[in-house]
Amino acid sequence: DIVMTQTPLSLSVTPGQPASISCKSSQSLLHTNGKTFLYWYLQKAGQSPQLLMYEVSSRFSGVPDRFSGSGSGTDFTLKISRVEAEDVGVYYCMQGIHLHTFGQGTKLEIK
Amino acid sequence: QVTLRESGPVLVKPTDTLTLTCTVSGFSLNYAKVGVSWIRQPPGKALEWLAHIFSNDEKVYSTSLERRLTISRDTSKSQVVLTMTNMDPVDTATYFCARLYCNHVACYPFDYWGQGTLVTVSS
């Protein structure tokens, strides 16, 4: 099974400052079709998760452009250019190349 | 408007079989580019993917849990059903169903989620 490892597990960010979350997979997420099946979700308190990014770097509908994704193979990063109060929650990466596996989650809070 | 709604017991006993139903609206389970997964989340812990059913009725399961899981669908009722056998207190979690949708550009796993249903396993 593919294991997804996120770091850090928590971070505290001042509004307006950037934030970065790393996600590493135990196997490459690059498919033979050229796509990389890495996704990011945000779960706000008391809510269901919401899809932020698909295929590493594409923002899902309605996601602000302060969110960006990068990486390849087994190493990926989610960046928030300027954190806002509404970005608070737990961020999960997920692989979709072989079944689905989520990372442990990274809790983002505001300083 | 796409919605998913989970339903089922809130409390089950150890060794019981859990049956959960996901009722969808706003899309058809017959649509070629759609599937539905079950995902769970123990209190305060991470998400865990459990099972998925594709539009062609193909099913896939979590490797660690596949002996205990069965996913099925009733397209006439717009429902996806998950059964999990031999329930244990460690299976206490909020169980979500979520849609996977594909178009000509990409696939969007879990673009819509239900609100989740908390299942507690206790004698």
Side-chain angles (χ1 to χ4, degrees):
Chain A
D1 288 3
I2 298 176
V3 177
M4 305 297 289
T5 303
Q6 290 181 230
T7 54
L9 297 183
S10 66
L11 70 165
S12 182
V13 182
T14 301
Q17 293 301 301
S20 179
I21 301 170
S22 171
C23 175
K24 296 184 188 297
S25 58
S26 60
Q27 300 175 33
S28 175
L29 304 185
L30 174 62
H31 194 273
T32 53
N33 65 9
K35 296 187 176 185
T36 300
F37 295 113
L38 185 281
Y39 306 86
W40 289 97
Y41 298 83
L42 166 60
Q43 186 176 30
K44 299 181 179 181
Q47 297 185 17
S48 302
Q50 57 191 83
L51 178 62
L52 292 178
M53 311 290 295
Y54 63 96
E55 293 177 15
V56 180
S57 59
S58 295
R59 280 185 298 275
F60 188 58
S61 175
V63 175
D65 61 7
R66 63 180 181 274
F67 289 91
S68 64
S70 63
S72 62
T74 60
D75 288 0
F76 306 95
T77 302
L78 176 71
K79 292 183 179 178
I80 310 173
S81 59
R82 296 173 304 279
V83 170
E84 298 187 4
E86 66 180 23
D87 301 335
V88 165
V90 181
Y91 290 80
Y92 294 95
C93 61
M94 185 196 78
Q95 66 84 13
I97 195 169
H98 175 64
L99 305 178
H100 298 283
T101 315
F102 291 92
Q104 322 97 298
T106 296
K107 185 175 183 178
L108 174 66
E109 62 178 23
I110 297 294
K111 278 185 183 176
Chain B
Q1 181 185 3
V2 172
T3 65
L4 301 94
R5 179 171 50 87
E6 305 89 349
S7 58
V10 296
L11 179 66
V12 299
K13 291 181 168 55
T15 75
D16 278 357
T17 292
L18 171 68
T19 299
L20 294 173
T21 300
C22 176
T23 303
V24 309
S25 64
F27 68 98
S28 171
L29 294 175
N30 284 319
Y31 180 58
K33 302 287 191 178
V34 159
V36 173
S37 273
W38 284 94
I39 296 155
R40 72 178 179 178
Q41 184 173 40
K45 295 188 177 181
L47 300 164
E48 180 183 18
W49 176 83
L50 300 176
H52 185 82
I53 189 164
F54 294 86
S55 57
N56 63 359
D57 209 35
E58 179 185 354
K59 298 133 184 174
V60 289
Y61 298 97
S62 161
T63 305
S64 60
L65 291 168
E66 63 180 326
R67 290 180 303 164
R68 299 175 53 204
L69 295 173
T70 302
I71 191 170
S72 62
R73 65 180 187 170
D74 185 333
T75 56
S76 66
K77 294 182 179 179
S78 294
Q79 292 179 336
V80 175
V81 175
L82 181 76
T83 62
M84 179 179 290
T85 61
N86 195 24
M87 293 293 284
D88 183 272
V90 300
D91 297 313
T92 293
T94 295
Y95 287 76
F96 297 95
C97 58
R99 185 183 83 158
L100 185 152
Y101 170 75
C102 301
N103 60 18
H104 64 285
V105 175
C107 287
Y108 311 96
F110 321 143
D111 60 340
Y112 285 91
W113 296 63
Q115 83 283 359
T117 184
L118 176 61
V119 178
T120 300
V121 185
S122 175
S123 55

